[in-house]
Structures are given as structure tokens and as C-alpha cells.
């Protein structure tokens, strides 16, 4: 489902396999467990976390076939798990960089925005909030996260209310993505470079989490009910 | 006062006549009635709002307020649900700003999802500072939701700047600038047709708009949807 490796002081969290990396309880729990281990251990001062994926997709959102097979009383589990995962990212005592190595859609975009920095593959892949196109509404914390991470009205409107498919370059021009790069490996390498640049400034990682909670206070308020909880 | 015309799946709401289209009780009521018709038309998939003549709308009917015992606060109170109607309309909305849009008139314009404006003539102008009037809370909430560049918001609210269509496009208030009133209406209708052609579920559209503007919807007292209701909807769609 996912692997964690270290390159120097930088952790590389990879969504493994050639599939769509859709969010079901297994994948989300694996990711939470991985982040939980990072939250509870100590790190070198210049640590950083990069999240990336194998294959054509970064993540295509919630696993709808899982939802179809689960009883209605269980449906909110994946939403709550993603909420918890986002709170884990906000609490990490190191800068976080998302390397969008393939298509990011729907809830996959929410995971991207949970990161401090975003590098996106330019030669392939879209950033696409598909919900309007497929007829799905947002739970509150999604709207709040997008409001705090994409404050520009026209960009947020195009992403959420027009279901625009953004290329990496468009996403960068519009302030969603920090850098673009070529190919999966190139995107990860650029993410490593960016991590090295930003991690130098962070001498005490725990202060980073506190600052995120202040900066994204509404998001924190909506996701923090799940912080530290296990599912 | 206003007309509602249908072209295919697009409804065109026009503020009629060569006057300033100032918002008094009658015009507000006509507009709300037209929007209620739009809301309940199952085949309507997008709305364009335009004005005839030199003005889109020059704001509240201050003359009416002066002559009435109820005054300005009544008009402020009556415009709020009109703005709420636009923000909760279950279809994409495009304003075709065909002339000056000032104060409450500018609020009507920016309450649309997309704002198209002519560049050859007309300004967006929050005149309140110049004429010594305060902003109602919901005006400020609407401006903060739609004008997200801080310096532009400052220029609009604290400098009462008159902003042309071209400048408004550069500063992120307007989506497209056209060269005449008829062109802005034609382009707005074209955009509305494109948006209608996406065949979005109208209830989902309205719900997502609320997710984009949660604070504004609260200010306008538009009822919220619970996460529980959304989760149930998710399941029902699959």
C-alpha cells in the first residue's frame, strides 16, 4: 500500500503499485500508521517528508467500490480516516512536500493540499477536483481546507465550482503548486531539492506544527477531532 | 422592472429601462420573483443577468428611502435575501455588467459565479465611503469572499475606487472584458451555454458553491447541509 524510505534526512513516503491509489480503510490506515511512527519518533534537525506515488496516478480519490460494498453505517469511516490523515500531516514536526507524480483527483487533491509544498509533474497528469462532474458534494472539512489553501476566489471557483482540470503549469501559475518537473523521477528529485532548501530553516520541528495550526486554524479545527485517534 | 427570457437552457434576467435600475422594494421583489421562477424551472441550467442602458445598477433607491418612513435600513434588509437567492441558486450564474455597477448594484454583480464586464464604458464602484454610508455586514462578507486580493479589496472599500472592466479583470474581480454591451451579453450567454452543457447536478452545484463560500452563506442565513446528509448523498450516488 505504501512504503517509507530514507534518503539522508529526508523521508520518502510512496503510494505503491500501478493502480489508482484510491482511499479505502486499508490504504488510509497504512498511511496513518506510517505518519504515526514519524510523529512518535525523534528526527534529525533537517528532516522533511515527501509523499509520492508509483504509476500513472498520485491518487484518484475515495474508493467508491469499497463504499458500494460497505454497509451505510460504515461510509463515514473513509472520510474520517482522511480527516485524521490530514491532521497527522499538519502535526508533523518537519516540512512536508507533495510530489504529484501522476493524476490527482478529488480526495487525492485534498491530500496534496495537506502538504506545506507541492511539486507537480509537468509532462503528464492533472490536478482535478472531479466531484462536480461526477455529482458528489463535499463534507465540510474539504471546503475549509480548500478555502485556506487556495484563497484566490477565481482559482478556487475554477477548481471546485467548474471542475477544471489543471495542468502542472496552470496549477503553478495559479498558486497551487510551487514547482514543476519532468517525469516521475524528475518530480521526486525536485521535491528532494525543495525539501533540502526548506528543511535547513527548521531547527525545531515541533514549532512547525504549532504554526500550521495557527495558519490553517479553521482546517485544524475541522480535522483535529480525529487527531491521535485510531480507526 | 425586469424580464426573464429563456434561450435553450439559459435564462436571461434583464434589468429593463434606460434608468439607473436602483434597488427599491418593487425592483427587489421583481428580481426575487424572477429568481424563484429560475429556481423552479427544471430545464433551466444557467442564468445570465444583464442591464439595459447606461447602468447595470446604481445601487439602493436612496430617493425612495428618503421619502419613506422605513428608510434605508429597510432596503438593506430587503436586498439581503436577494443576494442569498443568487448565492443559493442551483445553477451557474454569469453577470453581464453592461454599465455602471455601484454599491448594492456592484454587490448584485459580484454575487454571480462569473462576472463579465464591458471595458469600453462603465465602472464598478463601492460609493459608500464617498457618500457617508456604512457597509451592511453581508456586503463586507460578499466582498471578502469574492475580492480576495488584499490591495484590490482595500482600494474598493477604503478608497472607493472606480474600477473599469479592464482593471477589474487585471485585479481578479472580472473574468472577461468585452468591447460593448451587446458583446458582453453575447459572451456571457455563450459561457452560460458552455456551463449548462456540463450537465451538472443542480443540487450538487448549489451545495459545492456553499462549500466554496461557507462564511458568506452563513452571513446570508442560507441553511447549511450536515456532513451526515452529504455522506448519505454520496452513498445514494454510487
Amino acid at each position: 500500500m505504501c512504503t517509507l524510505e530514507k534518503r539522508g534526512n529526508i523521508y520518502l513516503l510512496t503510494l505503491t503499485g500501478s493502480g489508482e491509489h484510491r482511499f479505502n480503510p486499508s490504504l488510509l490506515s497504512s498511511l496513518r500508521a506510517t505518519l504515526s511512527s514519524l510523529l512518535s519518533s525523534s528526527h534529525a534537525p533537517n528532516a522533511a517528508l515527501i509523499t509520492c506515488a508509483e504509476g500513472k496516478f498520485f491518487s484518484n480519490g475515495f474508493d467508491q467500490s469499497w463504499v458500494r460494498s460497505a454497509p451505510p453505517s460504515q461510509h463515514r469511516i473513509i472520510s474520517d480516516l482522511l480527516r485524521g490523515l490530514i491532521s497527522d500531516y499538519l502535526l508533523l514536526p518537519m516540512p512536508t512536500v507533495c510530489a504529484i507524480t501522476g493524476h490527482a483527483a478529488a480526495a487525492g487533491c485534498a491530500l496534496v493540499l495537506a502538504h506545506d509544498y507541492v511539486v507537480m509533474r509537468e509532462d503528464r497528469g492533472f490536478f482535478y477536483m472531479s466531484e462536480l462532474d461526477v455529482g458528489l458534494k463535499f463534507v465540510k472539512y474539504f471546503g475549509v481546507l480548500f478555502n485556506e489553501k487556495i484563497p484566490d476566489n477565481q482559482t478556487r471557483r475554477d477548481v471546485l465550482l467548474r471542475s477544471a482540470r489543471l495542468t502542472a503549469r496552470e496549477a503553478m501559475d495559479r498558486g497551487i503548486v510551487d514547482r514543476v518537473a519532468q517525469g516521475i523521477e524528475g518530480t521526486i528529485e525536485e521535491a528532494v531539492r525543495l525539501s533540502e532548501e526548506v528543511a535547513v530553516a527548521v531547527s525545531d520541528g515541533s514549532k512547525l506544527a504549532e504554526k500550521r495550526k495557527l495558519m490553517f486554524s479553521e482546517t485544524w479545527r475541522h480535522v483535529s477531532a480525529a487527531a491521535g485517534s485510531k480507526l | 422592472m425586469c424580464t426573464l427570457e429563456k434561450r435553450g437552457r439559459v435564462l436571461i434576467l434583464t434589468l429593463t429601462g434606460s434608468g439607473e435600475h436602483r434597488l427599491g422594494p418593487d425592483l427587489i421583489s421583481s428580481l426575487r420573483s424572477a429568481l424563484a421562477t429560475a429556481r423552479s424551472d427544471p430545464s433551466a441550467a444557467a442564468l445570465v443577468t444583464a442591464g439595459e442602458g447606461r447602468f447595470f445598477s446604481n445601487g439602493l433607491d436612496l430617493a425612495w428611502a428618503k421619502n419613506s418612513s422605513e428608510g434605508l435600513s429597510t432596503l438593506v434588509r430587503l436586498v439581503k435575501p436577494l443576494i442569498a437567492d443568487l448565492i443559493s441558486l442551483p445553477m451557474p450564474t454569469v453577470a453581464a455588467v453592461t454599465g455602471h455597477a455601484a454599491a448594492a448594484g456592484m454587490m448584485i454583480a459580484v454575487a454571480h459565479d462569473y462576472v463579465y464586464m464591458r471595458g469600453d464604458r462603465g465602472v464598478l464602484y463601492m460609493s459608500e465611503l464617498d457618500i457617508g454610508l456604512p457597509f451592511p455586514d453581508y456586503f463586507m462578507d460578499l466582498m471578502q469572499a469574492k475580492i480576495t486580493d488584499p490591495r484590490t479589496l482595500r482600494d474598493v472599500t477604503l478608497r472607493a475606487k472606480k474600477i473599469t472592466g479592464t482593471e477589474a479583470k487585471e485585479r481578479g474581480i472580472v473574468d472577461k472584458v468585452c468591447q460593448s454591451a451587446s458583446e458582453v451579453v453575447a459572451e456571457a450567454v455563450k459561457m452560460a451555454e458552455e456551463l449548462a452543457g456540463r450537465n451538472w447536478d443542480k443540487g450538487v452545484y448549489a451545495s459545492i458553491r456553499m462549500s466554496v463560500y461557507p462564511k458568506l452563506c452563513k452571513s446570508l442565513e442560507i441553511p447549511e447541509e450536515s456532513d451526515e446528509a452529504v455522506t448519505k448523498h454520496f452513498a445514494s450516488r454510487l
Side-chain angles (χ1 to χ4, degrees):
Chain A
M1 305 242 87
C2 66
T3 58
L4 187 70
E5 62 179 275
K6 220 165 168 206
R7 291 191 192 181
N9 288 333
I10 293 169
Y11 296 96
L12 192 65
L13 171 58
T14 308
L15 299 161
T16 52
S18 56
E20 295 185 15
H21 312 133
R22 280 189 177 264
F23 297 150
N24 52 39
S26 305
L27 176 55
L28 291 170
S29 298
S30 288
L31 288 167
R32 288 206 75 189
T34 306
L35 286 175
S36 180
S37 70
L38 288 175
L39 282 165
S40 59
S41 51
S42 61
H43 311 280
N46 299 342
L49 171 76
I50 298 173
T51 309
C52 65
E54 289 174 350
K56 273 181 67 189
F57 293 90
F58 177 77
S59 170
N60 230 15
F62 286 127
D63 186 344
Q64 296 181 9
S65 65
W66 179 86
V67 178
R68 257 181 237 117
S69 65
S73 58
Q74 303 250 300
H75 289 173
R76 56 170 293 179
I77 285 180
I78 50 170
S79 173
D80 285 349
L81 277 170
L82 179 60
R83 189 203 307 256
L85 181 61
I86 292 170
S87 71
D88 295 340
Y89 272 94
L90 292 176
L91 287 173
L92 269 177
M94 64 187 76
T96 58
V97 181
C98 188
I100 309 180
T101 43
H103 296 293
C109 295
L111 180 60
V112 170
L113 294 184
H115 292 72
D116 300 324
Y117 303 88
V118 183
V119 178
M120 186 167 171
R121 185 180 174 181
E122 190 178 5
D123 51 311
R124 207 182 231 201
F126 292 108
F127 184 93
Y128 170 43
M129 283 301 280
S130 52
E131 283 86 344
L132 183 57
D133 278 347
V134 304
L136 295 173
K137 300 177 179 182
F138 296 145
V139 287
K140 280 198 189 58
Y141 73 87
F142 262 45
V144 169
L145 174 67
F146 277 78
N147 263 266
E148 290 196 315
K149 290 280 189 156
I150 306 179
D152 177 66
N153 173 53
Q154 288 170 320
T155 301
R156 197 169 69 247
R157 178 215 49 210
D158 284 347
V159 166
L160 299 180
L161 203 54
R162 197 163 58 88
S163 247
R165 276 180 172 89
L166 298 183
T167 61
R169 200 144 280 272
E170 285 168 341
M172 187 170 70
D173 289 343
R174 303 189 79 172
I176 299 171
V177 158
D178 294 289
R179 293 189 191 171
V180 301
Q182 297 289 320
I184 295 180
E185 274 316 308
T187 303
I188 295 173
E189 276 158 27
E190 188 61 45
V192 170
R193 265 192 293 273
L194 176 52
S195 300
E196 284 164 353
E197 283 170 43
V198 300
V200 163
V202 181
S203 53
D204 180 354
S206 65
K207 299 290 189 282
L208 198 52
E210 290 310 307
K211 289 178 169 63
R212 282 197 200 103
K213 289 193 264 179
L214 284 174
M215 253 195 90
F216 304 111
S217 56
E218 278 305 295
T219 301
W220 175 249
R221 194 166 64 81
H222 280 80
V223 302
S224 61
S229 64
K230 285 188 290 212
L231 266 168
Chain B
M1 304 243 90
C2 69
T3 57
L4 190 66
E5 169 204 342
K6 201 163 177 188
R7 281 190 215 170
R9 301 181 65 191
V10 174
L11 289 172
I12 303 171
L13 173 60
T14 308
L15 297 147
T16 51
S18 56
E20 296 187 12
H21 312 138
R22 279 194 176 263
L23 296 156
D26 291 344
L27 178 54
I28 295 168
S29 175
S30 292
L31 289 168
R32 292 204 67 197
S33 176
L35 290 173
T37 302
R39 186 181 295 264
S40 62
D41 180 348
S43 65
L47 174 85
V48 170
T49 304
E52 281 177 354
R54 282 179 57 212
F55 292 88
F56 180 77
S57 167
N58 219 19
L60 298 180
D61 191 344
L62 299 178
W64 179 90
K66 208 160 157 208
N67 293 330
S68 124
S69 56
E70 299 166 68
L72 202 53
S73 60
T74 297
L75 294 181
V76 167
R77 191 178 40 83
L78 289 174
V79 166
K80 185 168 165 177
L82 171 59
I83 303 281
D85 289 345
L86 283 166
I87 298 291
S88 65
L89 203 69
M91 66 186 76
T93 57
V94 187
V97 184
T98 41
H100 299 298
M106 180 174 165
M107 294 297 88
I108 301 286
V110 305
H112 288 67
D113 299 326
Y114 301 84
V115 184
Y116 281 26
M117 187 166 172
R118 64 190 294 189
D120 58 320
R121 233 181 216 196
V123 291
L124 297 174
Y125 170 44
M126 289 308 281
S127 49
E128 282 83 347
L129 187 60
D130 282 345
I131 56 180
L133 286 175
F135 292 137
D137 288 353
Y138 68 91
F139 273 29
M140 199 61 224
D141 291 327
L142 177 56
M143 285 189 280
Q144 284 178 318
K146 299 288 194 147
I147 304 171
T148 50
D149 171 63
R151 277 193 287 267
T152 302
L153 184 61
R154 175 208 56 205
D155 285 353
V156 165
T157 56
L158 299 183
R159 222 176 119 189
K161 190 161 198 268
K162 292 182 167 113
I163 301 182
T164 62
T166 305
E167 188 183 348
K169 168 123 196 323
E170 281 163 18
R171 304 187 79 170
I173 306 174
V174 155
D175 295 290
K176 192 174 188 145
V177 191
C178 303
Q179 289 323 301
S180 68
S182 59
E183 198 196 328
V184 74
V185 176
E187 288 296 309
V189 170
K190 202 166 131 204
M191 180 56 165
E193 281 165 353
E194 240 178 76
L195 295 165
R198 301 284 291 266
N199 290 315
W200 291 318
D201 178 297
K202 291 160 73 170
V204 170
Y205 191 87
S207 174
I208 289 180
R209 196 198 277 114
M210 288 186 63
S211 299
V212 179
Y213 304 115
K215 196 164 170 236
L216 175 62
C217 289
K218 199 157 179 207
S219 174
L220 294 169
E221 295 172 78
I222 298 169
E224 254 183 43
E225 211 170 355
S226 67
D227 279 358
E228 214 188 312
V230 168
T231 309
K232 280 207 183 96
H233 179 266
F234 183 88
S236 74
R237 290 284 315 175
L238 298 183

